[in-house]
Amino acid sequence: MAASVASKSSVRRASLKSTTSYKQALHEILANMQPEEDMDVAHKSGPPVDFTFRDLRAVTDICKVDPREGPNKYVKIEVKRKNENDEVPLFPEDNDKKNDEPRQFYKYCSKAIKLGNNSLARLENFSSGLQAVLEDPESIEWIDLSFNDLTKIDNVILEYPNLKVLYLHANYIDDLKQVDKLAALPHLKTLTLHGNMIEGKKGYRQYVIMTIPQLQYFDFSRITKADRDKAQVWRKLKLIESTTHKKKPKAAEA
């Protein structure tokens, strides 16, 4: 009896290991699939690719679901595997197909992706996940990660220097210093962070404005000259405060 239980346990572990390896291979295979030449959509950009409300637990889950349809049609290009003789199924249900028609895959021509309202706690494999669904992810200008479970701003965001709009509101970011990373994005004009724990920090808005001077909109409101002046005053006060509270050197003992 014990041997039977041990055998079932071994099979279960082997199955789990196989499933995990499969999921890891899936986004890598899709990321390497090459777009067909299509002059009708060349150099065109469609609407944001919308993966909101898809119950994503990992970024690579976007390989297994279709984006939500909107009023504007997606611009997409069919892609092919690099190795046409690759017998690894891209989806589990491919094993059960009775017909001989190959599954069609597409990459979307867009400079924006919406990943909000999911359950993303980390951005592991973010780059390969975007590569799997976007025709040119390096040109992306808008990323929506709002309403997720993120606790920090991942450095992977900095791999997209053309980024202009970044939504991070309604997450769990609690360290204001995380914002410092975003100063490295030269074209970032719009940022949202409200609904995170850092929103309650003293000087929250002033800190962000001073840290990312290229911003024009923050938390859906335009940054005015008065906002920048206030941020400058806040910064000077913080410098004075930090100087005042520095520990004085102990007096030399007699």
Side-chain angles (χ1 to χ4, degrees), residues 131-148:
Q131 185 72 46
V133 298
L134 296 180
E135 188 269 333
D136 183 17
E138 286 76 17
S139 68
I140 198 163
E141 297 180 355
W142 176 22
I143 298 175
D144 179 3
L145 287 163
S146 61
F147 291 96
N148 275 289

Side-chain angles (χ1 to χ4, degrees), residues 23-237:
K23 287 183 178 179
Q24 290 173 341
L26 177 59
H27 69 272
E28 292 171 355
I29 293 174
L30 289 173
N32 289 324
M33 291 174 71
Q34 299 299 301
E36 293 285 289
E37 291 187 10
D38 191 336
M39 299 309 295
D40 291 335
V41 298
H43 308 297
K44 291 184 179 179
S45 184
V49 186
D50 188 356
F51 288 100
T52 58
F53 297 100
R54 282 293 187 251
D55 194 30
L56 305 178
R57 304 302 174 97
V59 176
T60 51
D61 288 344
I62 60 178
C63 303
K64 300 180 289 184
V65 297
D66 292 325
R68 297 164 63 88
E69 296 292 338
N72 299 315
K73 288 186 177 181
Y74 289 122
V75 178
K76 56 188 181 181
I77 303 176
E78 186 176 357
V79 293
K80 301 287 187 181
R81 302 188 198 188
K82 279 188 175 180
N83 182 6
E84 291 295 338
N85 296 320
D86 189 354
E87 296 179 356
V88 178
L90 293 176
F91 291 86
E93 59 266 28
D94 287 350
N95 290 322
D96 303 324
K97 283 190 173 181
K98 301 301 181 183
N99 57 54
D100 295 327
E101 290 186 12
R103 180 190 287 272
Q104 288 183 311
F105 298 96
Y106 299 92
K107 288 192 179 182
Y108 296 87
C109 302
S110 178
K111 294 184 177 181
I113 190 165
K114 300 172 72 174
L115 299 168
N117 290 279
N118 285 293
S119 301
L120 301 175
R122 295 185 300 169
L123 297 184
E124 186 177 3
N125 295 315
F126 187 81
S127 297
S128 56
L130 264 58
Q131 185 72 46
V133 298
L134 296 180
E135 188 269 333
D136 183 17
E138 286 76 17
S139 68
I140 198 163
E141 297 180 355
W142 176 22
I143 298 175
D144 179 3
L145 287 163
S146 61
F147 291 96
N148 275 289
D149 299 327
L150 301 173
T151 58
K152 67 175 184 177
I153 299 173
D154 199 293
N155 288 331
V156 72
I157 297 297
L158 306 182
E159 295 180 13
Y160 303 95
N162 295 314
L163 200 60
K164 295 180 180 179
V165 180
L166 178 61
Y167 289 172
L168 288 168
H169 56 277
N171 276 282
Y172 294 92
I173 302 168
D174 62 357
D175 183 3
L176 204 49
K177 290 289 184 181
Q178 288 287 313
V179 176
D180 296 3
K181 304 172 185 179
L182 300 179
L185 294 171
H187 302 292
L188 187 62
K189 303 300 181 186
T190 300
L191 173 68
T192 63
L193 286 167
H194 59 279
N196 283 277
M197 297 175 187
I198 57 174
E199 186 181 12
K201 303 277 186 180
K202 188 175 180 180
Y204 157 73
R205 185 173 177 83
Q206 290 77 25
Y207 184 90
V208 175
I209 292 173
M210 287 302 304
T211 303
I212 316 173
Q214 64 269 34
L215 279 184
Q216 295 180 0
Y217 291 88
F218 179 49
D219 286 347
F220 295 126
S221 69
R222 187 175 185 84
I223 298 174
T224 64
K225 183 179 182 303
D227 288 328
R228 297 192 189 280
D229 291 343
K230 186 176 180 180
Q232 286 281 4
V233 171
W234 175 85
R235 182 173 181 273
K236 290 178 181 178
L237 289 174

